[in-house]
Amino acid sequence: MNYLQLALEESFFAVGISRPNPAVGAVVVKDGLVVGRGRTQSPGNAHAEVMALRDAGELARGAALFVTLEPCCHYGRTPPCTKAIIETGISEVYYAHADPNPQVRGKSRGILEAAGVKVYEGKDACLRAHAESGWSDSCSAEGCMTLAPDESENDGSVVFAEIERFFEAYDYFVCNKRTFVEVKVAVSENGFMGMLDNRGVPAPLRITGQGAACWNHELRAMSDAILVGAGTLLADNPSLDVRYAHGNSPVKVLWAGHRKFTESEISGLKFFSCGNGADKENAASLVFTCVEQPAIKSETILLSGNTFEENWTHMLEELSRRGMHRLMVEPGAHLSEKIYSGSTAQGEKASPLWNRLDLWKSTDPSVERPVAQEGRESLLFPGLPDSAVAKESAMLGPDVLTVYYPG
């Protein structure tokens, strides 16, 4: 067990609630026991540290605080968390990720240490956050989580990498005032992304296995919004939920393009079954469209750009205005090609329309069997963007994940 891993798990439940503030998790530990847990609340309400300290009560005095992000040290909508930490008598603070906000970065540590609080940060904090008390290398009890010293170091390194990944979109948002776009695609061994039925209509085709599905749902849980195109919506009728992961559900976004939806289509699609409520800023679903959609009751935003790039940029500006840090995109072949081939001007430089590409490739030959049946036509992966550079790779069951960033 790693206490910062527990704090990260808390932070997943703050996604979508805390925005535009970062989703942060915290735990208070005393004598090897977790005595307080907390996550960031909606803007103007308590941050994760304060929630965890309140949960711990008097047990916070002399305890250690483990928090995913550097505690704030300035007055905003709420008093600084460093003030609450000092006043409650916390003796040690471990935070995994430095806040990119210049009002905070590097300042909190000095404030806390000046008050006599020991502070550990970054990878060092994650390595030290490993719970050692009560664990024995000789333990044989069922479910015992015994880790050797080298495994303990590995555990902390993995937690640090997971937290860095979690805050990747927040860092980008703070520095660029723009939503981070993460694209997830799945491709068969021979490059199929989907198929058409005998009428030429997109039909469902499951490409990856359960392991990749669980990974995908965890990515959904850490995203503010998840987007699909009209073709994917009609072919797969996805619910876009997080049933294989723990955390808040992202806002569902439809890129309708020039596809006009009928009432009969809408009645059978899971996307439109979620309510929107009265709060437009926290709508459960959004539709971005280039044509009027009189049959759609979800919040609809009409785009009037002359090109796909212009409309995509306008959509991101709207999501950024709503404080969304990460947009997860699950495109079909057509939308993939549009995203990969497009670019937008950022000053004097042309920038791609995406920030991270997660490409899953199946090695299971049976995936393509439905395509071969009855001569169905396949939808091919349009190929990697010209600027894509591979940074990471991993295998989960029969599926290989490669992560790309713009070069």
Side-chain angles (χ1 to χ4, degrees):
M1 179 174 63
N2 187 292
Y3 295 129
L4 278 168
Q5 177 68 44
L6 296 180
L8 178 61
E9 291 169 4
E10 287 291 326
S11 67
F12 272 73
F13 290 94
V15 176
I17 293 173
S18 65
R19 66 171 175 260
N21 295 332
V24 180
V27 296
V28 178
V29 177
K30 190 166 189 178
D31 299 328
L33 297 176
V34 176
V35 295
R37 296 172 183 260
R39 63 188 74 133
T40 304
Q41 303 299 297
S42 58
N45 293 297
H47 292 184
E49 299 93 323
V50 173
M51 295 297 293
L53 293 171
R54 287 177 183 173
D55 191 37
E58 287 300 317
L59 292 175
R61 189 160 300 279
L65 174 70
F66 297 83
V67 58
T68 53
L69 185 68
E70 182 176 0
C72 69
C73 57
H74 64 286
Y75 282 87
R77 293 179 177 176
T78 60
C81 289
T82 50
K83 182 174 183 289
I85 291 168
I86 294 167
E87 288 177 348
T88 52
I90 286 288
S91 62
E92 298 178 346
V93 170
Y94 301 74
Y95 67 84
H97 188 78
D99 196 326
N101 184 343
Q103 289 184 291
V104 178
R105 191 177 184 92
K107 298 176 182 177
S108 298
R109 180 168 193 162
I111 292 171
L112 292 171
E113 288 181 334
V117 180
K118 289 183 180 179
V119 180
Y120 304 94
E121 63 178 298
K123 188 175 180 178
D124 180 45
C126 292
L127 294 173
R128 292 173 179 272
H130 174 61
E132 296 178 352
S133 59
W135 288 18
S136 167
D137 288 344
S138 61
C139 177
S140 59
E142 183 178 355
C144 180
M145 299 174 62
T146 301
L147 294 180
D150 58 330
E151 291 174 315
S152 168
E153 183 174 348
N154 257 355
D155 179 58
S157 299
V158 169
V159 172
F160 176 67
E162 288 180 354
I163 294 175
E164 290 290 286
R165 163 94 168 94
F166 181 82
F167 285 114
E168 179 179 35
Y170 169 65
D171 290 355
Y172 181 85
F173 183 85
V174 170
C175 295
N176 298 279
K177 309 299 184 221
R178 188 179 177 90
T179 301
F180 185 91
V181 178
E182 181 158 3
V183 182
K184 192 281 300 183
V185 294
V187 182
S188 74
E189 196 169 25
N190 290 327
F192 296 173
M193 283 189 71
M195 66 179 180
L196 301 177
D197 63 19
N198 294 330
R199 300 167 297 162
V201 176
L205 176 66
R206 179 163 184 171
I207 294 175
T208 52
Q210 187 60 40
C214 292
W215 183 95
N216 186 46
H217 282 226
E218 185 166 302
L219 174 55
R220 290 179 180 180
M222 62 192 283
S223 301
D224 291 278
I226 175 173
L227 180 148
V228 294
T232 298
L233 190 70
L234 292 168
D236 297 342
N237 192 14
S239 59
L240 303 179
D241 59 19
V242 292
R243 61 190 178 278
Y244 300 137
H246 298 291
N248 283 302
S249 295
V251 173
K252 302 175 185 181
V253 179
L254 171 62
W255 180 266
H258 290 85
R259 179 68 161 79
K260 190 171 184 177
F261 283 81
T262 65
E263 288 187 8
S264 60
E265 288 173 334
I266 291 170
S267 65
L269 292 171
K270 299 173 186 175
F271 179 95
F272 296 105
S273 64
C274 57
N276 277 295
D279 185 0
K280 293 282 187 179
E281 295 300 299
N282 294 293
S285 62
L286 292 170
V287 178
F288 289 90
T289 177
C290 299
V291 295
E292 296 285 352
Q293 300 280 1
I296 294 179
K297 305 305 179 187
S298 301
E299 183 181 358
T300 303
I301 298 171
L302 188 62
L303 302 168
S304 57
N306 295 318
T307 65
F308 174 82
E309 289 85 354
E310 287 181 10
N311 287 324
W312 188 260
T313 300
H314 292 161
M315 177 194 70
L316 291 180
E317 288 172 350
E318 175 61 25
L319 297 181
S320 301
R321 186 189 68 77
R322 295 173 184 241
M324 295 188 180
H325 301 163
R326 188 190 309 269
L327 170 66
M328 179 186 177
V329 183
E330 296 189 13
H334 178 69
L335 184 55
S336 291
E337 193 278 329
K338 291 281 190 182
I339 295 171
Y340 301 157
S341 63
S343 63
T344 183
Q346 294 285 323
E348 297 180 357
K349 181 181 177 183
S351 298
L353 304 180
W354 58 281
N355 299 103
R356 173 175 162 133
L357 168 60
D358 305 312
L359 175 62
W360 284 97
K361 188 165 185 178
S362 173
T363 62
D364 183 356
S366 67
V367 166
E368 294 164 355
R369 194 171 297 146
V371 179
Q373 294 172 349
E374 303 176 12
R376 292 182 174 183
E377 183 182 349
S378 61
L379 296 171
L380 292 174
F381 178 60
L384 290 169
D386 292 337
S387 63
V389 177
K391 296 291 187 180
E392 304 168 25
S393 184
M395 189 164 189
L396 194 55
D399 307 310
V400 178
L401 170 66
T402 307
V403 177
Y404 298 86
Y405 287 88

